Amino acid sequence: MHGMDEKVPEAAHGAGPASPAGAKPPVRWTRDVRNRFFDQFAASGDVARAAEAVGKTAASAYAQRRRSASFAATWRAVLEDSYERLEAALVRQVLGEDDSKVDVAAALLLLERRPRPGGQTAHAAPKTADENTLRARAERELLRKLKALSRQPGVRDRA
């Protein structure tokens, strides 16, 4: 047992191994680190790349998401924004308003598997009465039309 005046190594507190003398301490998930992580994550959609950009690992980011409700909420918001950007890019491409190279089939697959509140995906059976809300009907109709448009000759050639 440690005496009152003894210094307890960091490892004893569950903070990981004690740092050797002169070693840089690990980067903490400060507000600035979080903001930079989410900026990178939003731009790339790549957790590992975003984590590396702020001196962290993907495992650390996933652990932080499990530990922090606010971190998890921001993560979900960034992903939702990414889905909305993908959907908009897909619509622009299918309508011929953009020369981007979105893979239509892959984009539709991602959008169909888009997480919804409560953990369900767009293709899952709805767990609530929200199935017939205006937004839900509009999203289903948009996906149906995008699928039909993507099957037209020439659409895949542009992708």
Side-chain angles (χ1 to χ4, degrees), residues 76-97:
R76 286 188 302 274
V78 166
L79 283 178
E80 181 60 27
D81 183 57
S82 297
Y83 279 112
E84 288 176 7
R85 288 192 335 258
L86 174 61
E87 190 173 61
L90 182 58
V91 169
R92 285 190 310 272
Q93 179 176 320
V94 169
L95 295 176
E97 298 173 1

Side-chain angles (χ1 to χ4, degrees), residues 58-114:
S60 172
Y62 286 110
Q64 183 65 18
R65 184 179 69 171
R66 284 189 303 275
R67 282 191 304 266
S68 169
S70 66
F71 193 88
T74 303
W75 186 300
R76 286 188 302 274
V78 166
L79 283 178
E80 181 60 27
D81 183 57
S82 297
Y83 279 112
E84 288 176 7
R85 288 192 335 258
L86 174 61
E87 190 173 61
L90 182 58
V91 169
R92 285 190 310 272
Q93 179 176 320
V94 169
L95 295 176
E97 298 173 1
D98 194 348
D99 290 334
S100 64
K101 303 294 182 195
V102 175
D103 180 329
V104 174
L108 288 172
L109 181 64
L110 283 169
L111 291 171
E112 286 177 353
R113 299 189 185 293
R114 178 183 196 171

